[in-house]
Amino acid sequence: MIPTEPFSCLMVRREDDEVRCKIESITVDDLPPGEVLIRVEYSSLNYKDALATRATRGIVEKLPHVPGIDCAGEVAASDAADFSPGDRVLVTGYGLGASHWGGFAQYVRVPGEWVVPLSPGLSTREAMTYGTAGFTAAQCVMAIINQGVKPDDSEIVVTGASGGVGSLAVALLAKLGYNVAAVTGKQELADELLGLGASRILGRDDVNDDSKGPLLPAKWAGAVDTVGGNTLATLLRSTKHRGCVAACGLVGGDQLPLTVYPFILRGVTLAGIDSAKCPREPRLDIWQKLSTEWKLDVLDSLAREITLEDLQKEVEAMLDGNSRGRVILRMGEG
């Protein structure tokens, strides 16, 4: 049912030459165009969302803006042939929360091709516990599997393991039988990572080698890297023959200081992971896996649930580097 009353959202505006972010009431008529109107039950908080609340250049195209690159809920109205009112659906990536108003609102309206039907095996809360972070982690795992790296080939190392993508990558790899070395700078979270299935815990310095040699001793069958920069270069230089490194982050830098030797002498594959524009067919395949054979038994414990009123405090913590795990935003009944 299309709402006739105003509903809540987190709105980012520029006022008096300052960017301001606050809860506002809007109506369906304020929403951008699209074929599918969704009543949002859950969204999630990602680093990109935190940057969007500050109207960061390259993240937000124009103001005013509603952040939120993820959402899951129920179709309220649809002009798309594939969806009907009452369908349970999710949206991650594309332009949601960037070029298009996003999931930090009780309703979103999006193009039909962005919408993914929600499997009966996954609730809207579980879908947002995964969110873009879980979808990205699953793409990383899929890249490693597709490269032929098997669980008995040696360890897989995961950097940024206490973050959203990293923690979910640890849990997914462990579920699939891989030995996982989890890298974190937050040693107080070691027990949590071991509980997710990590075989051992490493510090950041263990995967950050400043030496100039083109290759390092081969240690890993593969890696999921959420950091980039010299950490990614270190992983590539120390990955075993025919291994695969899936890269999805750049908090450690956007430069890659290395030679071609890992690629031409060891046949290492560097798999770049782009979640926002992942084609529809693999997107549907991954979400099907996440709701069936890859579904994590620990989903309920992986996320902290907050409300719209709590959101700005969590944004501050994330931007200060003090956030951990997954934060999901409850927008309505689910």
Side-chain angles (χ1 to χ4, degrees), residues 236-265:
L236 289 163
R237 291 193 294 151
S238 54
T239 296
K240 293 183 175 183
H241 184 254
R242 294 282 171 168
C244 177
V245 177
C248 61
L250 47 67
V251 294
D254 59 3
Q255 301 298 304
L256 191 57
L258 82 167
T259 69
V260 299
Y261 286 108
F263 310 113
I264 66 174
L265 294 185

Side-chain angles (χ1 to χ4, degrees), residues 42-315:
Y42 284 95
S43 183
S44 71
L45 177 61
N46 303 275
Y47 191 68
K48 188 174 180 179
D49 300 318
L51 293 176
T53 68
R54 302 297 187 263
T56 302
R57 188 180 300 273
I59 302 295
V60 176
E61 293 190 2
K62 61 182 180 179
L63 297 177
H65 181 69
V66 178
I69 63 173
D70 299 333
C71 71
E74 179 180 280
V75 173
S78 175
D79 293 326
D82 292 338
F83 299 100
S84 302
D87 288 349
R88 313 289 275 180
V89 297
L90 65 89
V91 183
T92 62
Y94 297 102
L96 191 72
S99 61
H100 196 93
W101 284 11
F104 292 171
Q106 291 178 303
Y107 285 86
V108 300
R109 187 161 50 202
V110 296
E113 61 266 27
W114 293 8
V115 182
V116 172
L118 195 60
S119 167
L122 208 60
S123 69
T124 53
R125 187 186 194 280
E126 291 171 332
M128 288 298 95
T129 300
Y130 286 130
T132 288
F135 180 64
T136 302
Q139 284 191 88
C140 293
V141 172
M142 182 69 79
I144 290 169
I145 292 173
N146 288 345
Q147 193 56 32
V149 178
K150 298 178 175 58
D152 57 0
D153 285 343
S154 188
E155 278 185 322
I156 307 294
V157 62
V158 177
T159 62
S162 58
V165 175
S167 60
L168 285 160
V170 168
L172 285 168
L173 286 163
K175 180 177 179 65
L176 296 175
Y178 290 88
N179 290 318
V180 183
V183 180
T184 181
K186 301 174 181 177
Q187 293 300 311
E188 68 273 15
L189 301 180
D191 287 344
E192 291 186 22
L193 291 170
L194 293 171
L196 291 179
S199 302
R200 63 184 180 126
I201 308 299
L202 301 177
R204 292 170 180 164
D205 290 344
D206 294 319
V207 290
N208 190 11
D209 191 306
D210 290 325
S211 65
K212 302 303 181 183
L215 292 171
L216 295 168
K219 297 180 180 180
W220 328 106
V224 173
D225 179 54
T226 69
V227 176
N230 194 61
T231 295
L232 177 55
T234 300
L235 294 174
L236 289 163
R237 291 193 294 151
S238 54
T239 296
K240 293 183 175 183
H241 184 254
R242 294 282 171 168
C244 177
V245 177
C248 61
L250 47 67
V251 294
D254 59 3
Q255 301 298 304
L256 191 57
L258 82 167
T259 69
V260 299
Y261 286 108
F263 310 113
I264 66 174
L265 294 185
R266 289 181 179 164
V268 172
T269 294
L270 172 58
I273 305 301
D274 172 21
S275 289
K277 295 183 180 179
C278 175
R280 187 164 181 81
E281 185 174 344
R283 182 182 293 270
L284 294 175
D285 181 43
I286 285 175
W287 278 110
Q288 179 63 25
K289 283 182 166 57
L290 287 173
S291 65
T292 54
E293 68 261 38
W294 286 15
K295 185 174 181 181
L296 297 174
D297 298 331
V298 293
L299 273 181
D300 285 344
S301 64
L302 282 178
R304 294 180 290 114
E305 185 174 315
I306 65 169
T307 65
L308 199 58
E309 288 73 20
D310 304 319
L311 187 55
Q312 295 208 56
K313 180 178 67 175
E314 294 292 340
V315 164

